[in-house]
Amino acid sequence: MRVLIAPDCFGGTLTAREAADAIATGWHEAKPDDVVVQRPLADGGPGFVDVLHAATGGDIRYITVTGPLGEPVEARWLSVRADGPDATGRHVAYIESAEACGLHLIPKELRPQVCETATTRGVGELIAAAVASGTGADDNDVIPAGASRVDVVIVGLGGSGTTDGGAGMLAALAEADGAAGVDLTGVSLVAASDVENPLLGPHGAARTFGPQKGASPEAVERLEAKLAAMDVLKPVSDISGAGAAGGLGAALLSLGATVTSGAGLVRELTGLDAALDDADVVVTGEGSFDWQSLRGKLITAVAGGAAERGIPCVAVAGQVSVGRREMGAAGVQEAYSVSEHVGSVQKAMEEARDSLVTTARHVANQWSR
């Protein structure tokens, strides 16, 4: 059989590439004659830069930026000279916002204390560095005055530990390069996200995602009021995706950014559709297969592509809380819980790779002819 393995990252345990490799290892152990193709994926959240680096062959750039707690953290962005009929000669910078303000950068025990003060300042510093730096060019090249080295800055949104409405990012962009701030003239900003939430209200950034970042009910309401009071965000607050990454989506929209599907972008750049064309069965997955997975996230993108071609798609996840009917409607024939297979959530996390390999062996025996 021809097997396509296309997972997202598994929470704080395995990157998408590590997860894909673990699933492939387990499958090979069970069915060594099958042809296995790996396409690790991301939807704009953690793993966005790694996955696109593997797909595009661009250059990883490193920079120290302000982390969510105000301390310095090392972050990366991806520099790519895009080719093709629609992108010939363009210089594109791919930025993963979680590199600078990700929830994984905030110790769990501190989250309730810092959920109202965690900052996106480092995201602005990443954007400023990308705009000022060469993309696919020698850093010593002479750039004409007023010319931008970067034509497009694509910011992946997801996995954030912040709910500051992008205030930190906006401040960093305003302060960089002197009083004038960063000159974004001629630079196309793109927010890559699959979150459809608006900025405010019951489905907004604070009330939907605040509790996941440690916010108590009282803190959620204070965050909601703070976001509502940001005048710069009011014109874009109702736009789909404004609530992504704690309102960072709204801040980018206020700068004139367009919104694109992070999963769709990765699907295109990794050649997922061509790999789907050649597959007999597809295995996708993520840390938790839950109701959020069904709201346009990566698993549904993969499953939808498989359904279009009439091939089965199964999911492997650390935990599964989606019912059979719901997953079937999304195009997933079966879902396998790693924690259930190995006996506990603790073991699934502490022995993440081995647990996923073991589960993948079981899945292969179920689905390979």
Side-chain angles (χ1 to χ4, degrees):
M1 289 188 71
R2 295 167 299 179
V3 184
L4 172 61
I5 297 173
D8 197 350
C9 64
F10 274 56
T13 58
L14 296 170
T15 67
R17 295 175 71 176
E18 291 169 341
D21 183 70
I23 295 170
T25 298
W27 197 288
H28 272 305
E29 290 176 357
K31 300 292 180 178
D33 293 331
D34 286 351
V35 176
V36 177
V37 174
Q38 299 181 42
R39 287 292 186 275
L41 302 173
D43 61 2
F48 186 64
V49 162
D50 276 335
V51 167
L52 291 182
H53 180 221
T56 65
D59 299 321
I60 293 286
R61 305 293 178 88
Y62 293 85
I63 180 176
T64 299
V65 300
T66 303
L69 303 183
E71 82 297 352
V73 299
E74 187 176 74
R76 305 165 302 158
W77 59 278
L78 178 63
S79 165
V80 177
R81 180 185 288 277
D83 295 315
D86 298 321
T88 302
R90 290 194 311 169
H91 288 165
V92 184
Y94 293 98
I95 288 171
E96 182 181 316
S97 61
E99 288 266 320
C101 67
L103 187 61
H104 67 284
L105 296 173
I106 305 175
K108 193 170 184 178
E109 65 275 11
L110 291 182
R111 292 172 189 173
Q113 305 169 37
V114 303
C115 62
E116 296 180 65
T117 57
T119 179
T120 56
R121 185 177 186 87
V123 180
E125 293 168 352
L126 275 170
I127 294 173
V131 170
S133 180
T135 309
D138 187 334
D139 285 341
N140 294 321
D141 285 351
V142 176
I143 304 300
S148 172
R149 290 177 182 248
V150 175
D151 301 294
V152 185
V153 175
I154 300 178
V155 184
L157 303 179
S160 76
T162 55
T163 315
D164 73 344
M169 179 198 74
L170 294 172
L173 289 174
E175 295 166 12
D177 295 339
V182 175
D183 183 7
L184 295 175
T185 303
V187 177
S188 296
L189 277 178
V190 180
S193 173
D194 292 276
V195 170
E196 300 172 350
N197 303 67
L199 180 65
L200 305 171
H203 302 294
R207 290 177 177 150
T208 300
F209 304 111
Q212 300 172 15
K213 303 173 185 181
S216 66
E218 296 77 16
V220 164
E221 294 310 310
R222 289 193 294 270
L223 286 167
E224 176 80 1
K226 187 175 179 180
L227 293 174
M230 294 180 65
D231 290 338
V232 70
L233 304 185
K234 289 179 180 178
V236 299
S237 63
D238 292 332
I239 296 177
S240 176
L248 188 56
L252 288 167
L253 286 167
S254 75
L255 294 173
T258 57
V259 179
T260 192
S261 164
L265 177 67
V266 171
R267 177 175 173 172
E268 175 185 353
L269 293 177
T270 58
L272 179 63
D273 286 309
L276 283 165
D277 289 340
D278 292 333
D280 294 314
V281 63
V282 180
V283 183
T284 186
E286 62 181 338
S288 178
F289 186 26
D290 53 28
W291 66 271
Q292 290 189 60
S293 306
L294 304 178
R295 295 180 60 88
K297 290 188 71 179
L298 190 142
I299 281 185
T300 57
V302 175
E308 291 168 3
R309 294 161 174 80
I311 55 177
C313 177
V314 298
V316 181
Q319 298 182 72
V320 176
S321 58
V322 175
R324 186 173 297 276
R325 180 179 299 178
E326 290 82 2
M327 73 175 70
V332 177
Q333 276 68 45
E334 188 65 76
Y336 297 85
S337 167
V338 175
S339 58
E340 288 185 11
H341 189 73
V342 301
S344 71
V345 173
Q346 182 178 359
K347 184 175 182 180
M349 296 188 71
E350 291 180 353
E351 303 174 19
R353 177 179 167 78
D354 289 345
S355 296
L356 189 52
V357 169
T358 299
T359 306
R361 283 201 300 265
H362 172 70
V363 175
N365 284 322
Q366 295 286 314
W367 286 90
S368 180
R369 292 190 295 268

